[in-house]
């Protein structure tokens, strides 16, 4: 069963439906003990960083997620669910993340619209897979495709090896996907990325890290 | 590179598509799910549903429709029509909308936009502006109108767009009431004036009749996205044809 973490921040319907369409059996999970049955976790992204990490702290889900990842089972974070993997974020003050990837979450600089640079970064953009001999199995189906992004903040990992795919907004490159071992986080929304997103979710469901 | 977005717009009433959708192989032209699936197959970047008969009684029908559509297509959905309060926005987001468009209510209570952006995030809040050219001693300006372009508000449309952008709206859905329905092209000076004045995204709307018009809205008009209803509904052009045309013009689009 795929545990879709519900931290009370909004509609998880489209993520749940997209996972089901990709062949997953999805259960919405609010309490840490419910993770015992889970073979995979998806942490979706809704709301602001402080609210998300605050809700995870309060329910004890933060520790449960860390235990789950330490057990070696596959984890996927989407958008904010990716950003909480980092050490900290500067969205509405500084807030501590799960600390699985060294580095912080930063805001795109505000630039005059004449330069065509608008916040949030919203729309379809590239996913450039990190150059290595074998592409990450979850990201491999995305080669040459575009995916849907909506975000004003982005992850800046200190170790380039943690950046699994990149994208750039105007002149600013940022991490489109991060991760190591058995966990991965993506900045874009697979559940809104039509076929490309479907293919990623299918690959995640088949991933054996 | 970030792609320019092509957004088909569907007018709905009581949970049904009301402008004549004439896809040849569609069984029920009024079915929003079927129309959404068709546009999904053609590679639309986003879908926009506007409830033109927004009434209190028909809200539940609209929410139900949004949920149905969101279960079948996996792309961003913008929904608007009769949005008056934070509760309306919350209900639409919970039903499965990704963005909610606020029109008249923003003119009466601008703080709604500010509060909505703070609560739900800028990327979920679209402000729809219906603008019309009016003459003045300096040669003219654009003004916000309500009631389908019949009632003037005295509010300068470019200044209003700037205010809404500053209040946190992530996108401005800009419709020229002069161009709407003419098929003579978007109002390029209006689109350009707004796009250059604000940090929010601009969706050009109203007047598109040819693929050349789409290209103009995105290049000369500097819009981030173009919205069209009839040329897609009546099958004049498919989304794919539109994108191939734009790509040949060097405009970045997603060729799915």
């Amino acid at each position: 069963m795929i545990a879709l973490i519900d931290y009370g921040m909004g509609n998880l319907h489209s993520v749940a439906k997209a996972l089901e369409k990709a062949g997953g059996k999805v259960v919405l999970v609010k309490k840490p003990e419910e993770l015992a049955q889970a073979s995979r976790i998806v942490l979706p992204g809704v709301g602001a960083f402080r609210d998300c990490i605050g809700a995870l702290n309060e329910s004890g889900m933060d520790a449960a997620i860390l235990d789950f990842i330490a057990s070696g089972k596959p984890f996927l974070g989407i958008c904010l669910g990716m950003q909480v993997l980092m050490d900290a974020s500067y969205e509405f003050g500084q807030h501590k993340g799960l600390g699985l990837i060294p580095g912080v979450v930063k805001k795109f600089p505000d630039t005059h619209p004449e330069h065509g640079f608008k916040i949030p970064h919203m729309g379809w953009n590239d996913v450039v897979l990190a150059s290595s001999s074998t592409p990450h199995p979850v990201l491999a189906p995305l080669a040459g495709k575009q995916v849907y992004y909506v975000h004003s903040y982005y992850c800046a990992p200190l170790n380039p090896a943690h950046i699994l795919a990149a994208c750039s907004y105007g002149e600013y490159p940022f991490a489109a996907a991060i991760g190591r071992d058995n966990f991965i986080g993506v900045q874009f929304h697979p559940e809104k990325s039509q076929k490309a997103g479907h293919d990623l979710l299918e690959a995640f469901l088949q991933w054996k890290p | 590179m970030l792609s320019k977005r092509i957004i088909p717009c569907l007018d709905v009433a009581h949970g049904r598509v009301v402008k004549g959708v004439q896809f040849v192989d569609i069984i029920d032209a009024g079915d929003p799910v079927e129309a959404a699936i068709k546009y999904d197959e053609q590679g639309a970047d986003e879908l926009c549903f506007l409830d033109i008969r927004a009434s209190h009684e028909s809200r539940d029908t609209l929410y139900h429709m949004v949920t149905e559509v969101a279960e079948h297509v996996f792309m961003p959905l913008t929904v608007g029509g009769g949005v008056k309060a934070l509760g309306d926005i919350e209900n639409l987001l919970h039903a499965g909308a990704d963005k909610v468009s606020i029109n008249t209510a923003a003119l009466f209570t601008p703080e709604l936009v500010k509060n909505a952006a703070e609560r739900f995030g800028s990327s979920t809040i679209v402000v729809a502006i219906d603008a019309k050219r009016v003459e003045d001693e300096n040669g003219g300006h654009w003004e916000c109108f309500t009631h389908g372009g019949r009632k003037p508000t005295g509010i300068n449309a470019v200044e209003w767009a700037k205010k809404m952008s500053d209040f946190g709206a992530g996108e401005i859905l800009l419709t020229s009431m002069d161009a709407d329905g003419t098929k003579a092209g978007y109002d390029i000076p209006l689109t350009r004036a707004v796009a250059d004045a604000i940090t929010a995204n601009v969706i050009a709307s109203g007047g598109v009749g040819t693929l050349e018009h789409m290209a103009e809205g995105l290049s000369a008009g500097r819009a981030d996205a173009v919205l069209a209803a009839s040329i897609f509904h009546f099958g004049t052009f498919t989304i794919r044809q539109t994108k191939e045309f734009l790509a040949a013009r060097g405009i970045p689009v997603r060729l799915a």
Side-chain angles (χ1 to χ4, degrees):
Chain A
M1 146 282 214
I2 318 299
L4 180 60
I5 312 265
D6 180 2
Y7 46 93
M9 295 297 295
N11 178 42
L12 305 181
H13 213 65
S14 50
V15 184
K17 284 285 162 191
L19 280 164
E20 280 168 11
K21 204 179 172 214
K25 187 181 172 297
V26 181
V27 178
L28 286 185
V29 165
K30 286 185 172 173
K31 297 183 193 129
E33 54 270 26
E34 293 170 312
L35 286 182
Q37 316 295 324
S39 55
R40 285 161 208 270
I41 287 183
V42 174
L43 180 63
V46 193
F49 191 96
R50 64 163 181 214
D51 299 332
C52 172
I53 201 74
L56 294 178
N57 289 341
E58 204 169 307
S59 61
M61 195 59 101
D62 53 347
I65 289 172
L66 290 172
D67 286 347
F68 184 91
I69 290 175
S71 78
K73 291 182 215 165
F75 170 99
L76 170 66
I78 297 172
C79 194
L80 192 57
M82 163 211 205
Q83 296 183 355
V84 295
L85 299 172
M86 305 295 292
D87 285 334
S89 167
Y90 293 102
E91 185 178 8
F92 299 120
Q94 193 181 333
H95 303 278
K96 213 167 158 289
L98 294 174
L100 288 162
I101 299 282
V104 295
V105 182
K106 295 181 189 174
K107 191 175 187 182
F108 282 119
D110 289 314
T111 314
H112 194 275
E114 254 178 31
H115 302 113
F117 193 81
K118 302 181 176 191
I119 310 278
H121 171 228
M122 174 162 50
W124 297 82
N125 206 333
D126 307 318
V127 201
V128 181
L129 305 192
S131 48
S132 65
S133 49
T134 48
H136 193 285
V138 176
L139 300 173
L142 299 184
K145 301 278 174 61
Q146 286 204 317
V147 289
Y148 190 77
Y149 293 87
V150 185
H151 62 123
S152 302
Y153 291 79
Y154 65 96
C155 297
L158 293 173
N159 181 350
H162 293 150
I163 300 175
L164 305 178
C167 180
S168 55
Y169 184 32
E171 61 204 78
Y172 296 97
F174 66 90
I178 59 171
R180 59 179 167 84
D181 310 325
N182 57 316
F183 67 93
I184 180 167
V186 295
Q187 183 60 68
F188 50 87
H189 290 269
E191 77 281 13
K192 292 289 159 191
S193 297
Q194 295 175 336
K195 182 159 191 318
H198 174 82
D199 293 349
L200 175 139
L201 293 176
E202 222 171 47
F204 172 69
L205 296 180
Q206 283 156 20
W207 186 30
K208 294 186 180 70
Chain B
M1 192 194 280
L2 184 63
S3 291
K4 300 281 189 180
R5 287 169 285 149
I6 312 302
I7 309 172
C9 180
L10 298 144
D11 284 346
V12 296
H14 312 296
R16 307 284 293 168
V17 177
V18 289
K19 240 181 212 170
V21 176
Q22 299 189 336
F23 294 124
V24 279
D25 51 352
I26 219 161
I27 303 157
D28 175 0
D31 185 345
V33 174
E34 281 192 54
I37 289 172
K38 199 71 204 172
Y39 284 133
D40 183 48
E41 285 167 359
Q42 290 184 9
D45 295 313
E46 213 166 304
L47 288 179
C48 180
F49 288 95
L50 295 179
D51 188 358
I52 57 165
R53 292 269 182 283
S55 65
H56 191 66
E57 300 75 45
S58 68
R59 295 317 272 180
D60 286 343
T61 319
L62 178 68
Y63 302 148
H64 181 70
M65 185 209 84
V66 172
T67 303
E68 280 269 290
V69 171
E71 280 180 12
H72 288 88
V73 295
F74 298 94
M75 69 170 121
L77 302 177
T78 298
V79 185
V83 173
K84 291 187 181 68
L86 288 178
D88 297 331
I89 301 171
E90 188 162 23
N91 287 337
L92 284 169
L93 294 174
H94 271 275
D98 298 285
K99 307 179 203 182
V100 172
S101 173
I102 310 172
N103 190 345
T104 318
L107 288 160
F108 295 126
T109 31
E111 280 68 31
L112 172 64
V113 173
K114 197 178 219 169
N115 296 336
E118 275 172 18
R119 176 134 160 224
F120 306 110
S122 286
S123 59
T124 58
I125 304 302
V126 180
V127 171
I129 298 177
D130 293 340
K132 207 164 161 175
R133 188 81 183 164
V134 292
E135 296 310 314
D136 62 23
E137 60 273 22
N138 301 318
H141 66 277
W142 294 279
E143 189 174 314
C144 296
F145 275 68
T146 61
H147 298 81
R150 293 194 306 276
K151 283 197 182 173
T153 62
I155 298 169
N156 180 304
V158 178
E159 286 167 17
W160 179 247
K162 173 92 172 56
K163 182 170 178 176
M164 291 296 96
S165 173
D166 292 345
F167 271 23
E171 288 189 297
I172 300 294
L173 170 49
L174 182 64
T175 305
S176 162
M177 300 312 289
D178 299 308
D180 202 29
T182 64
K183 296 197 187 296
Y186 296 112
D187 184 333
I188 299 301
L190 166 68
T191 308
R192 173 74 171 260
V194 172
D196 282 353
I198 68 173
T199 52
N201 283 270
V202 174
I203 306 169
S205 159
V208 70
T210 67
L211 297 181
E212 188 60 49
H213 293 152
M214 297 264 191
E216 283 168 6
L218 296 167
S219 50
R222 291 190 179 171
D224 302 283
V226 280
L227 180 134
S230 53
I231 68 157
F232 295 138
H233 294 329
F234 295 111
T236 319
F237 301 105
T238 64
I239 309 271
R240 200 170 305 282
Q241 279 174 312
T242 305
K243 288 189 169 184
E244 280 164 4
F245 177 88
L246 295 172
R249 290 298 178 91
I251 294 171
V253 288
R254 178 183 64 113
L255 293 165

